[in-house]
Amino acid sequence: MEKHGPLMKVTWYLPIIPRMKHLFANPNDAKNLRWHAGERKCYGMYHHPTDSIQLKKFNDKFLEFGKESRNMRLGLAINEMNLFGNMSMNHGSWLVLLVI
């Protein structure tokens, strides 16, 4: 029986601050990032994440942050995956997504 050694933890990290700076450096992207503050039409229904109750509570709690249209809100999603379909494995792979 061959021994392969301990499992390895692998993490890929993409720096977020340079990516945000790059988004605001492009005039078209910068306009789209501020769209929710100036051009969005409110119909009283949920059409966009900025209509959510959670975001309104966040903006009420942190007034200075909510007033600035250039501030970005990030969403975090985490999910464990079993890549090989073997349910008896003692480890899993985690997918972590950070979205604007």
Side-chain angles (χ1 to χ4, degrees):
M1 188 162 126
E2 212 177 299
K3 186 174 181 178
H4 296 291
L7 297 175
M8 182 186 296
K9 291 183 180 178
V10 178
T11 303
W12 291 291
Y13 171 71
L14 301 172
I16 194 159
I17 293 175
R19 290 178 174 276
M20 288 182 181
K21 287 180 180 179
H22 181 73
L23 284 172
F24 277 107
N26 182 335
N28 291 331
D29 288 339
K31 181 182 175 204
N32 289 334
L33 290 169
R34 291 187 313 269
W35 169 85
H36 69 279
E39 299 177 28
R40 183 175 63 93
K41 295 183 176 36
C42 297
Y43 298 110
M45 298 187 318
Y46 292 131
H47 287 262
H48 191 268
T50 55
D51 297 327
S52 69
I53 295 169
Q54 292 85 0
L55 189 60
K56 290 177 184 177
K57 285 182 182 178
F58 183 86
N59 287 340
D60 290 341
K61 186 173 182 178
F62 303 100
L63 294 173
E64 292 299 318
F65 187 85
K67 288 179 185 176
E68 178 58 55
S69 65
R70 293 175 294 174
N71 286 338
M72 298 175 121
R73 283 99 174 148
L74 302 175
L76 179 66
I78 301 173
N79 193 10
E80 182 179 14
M81 299 180 296
N82 188 341
L83 296 177
F84 305 107
N86 185 354
M87 299 307 284
S88 65
M89 294 175 76
N90 59 359
H91 70 281
S93 297
W94 287 86
L95 176 67
V96 179
L97 295 173
L98 186 65
V99 294
I100 298 173

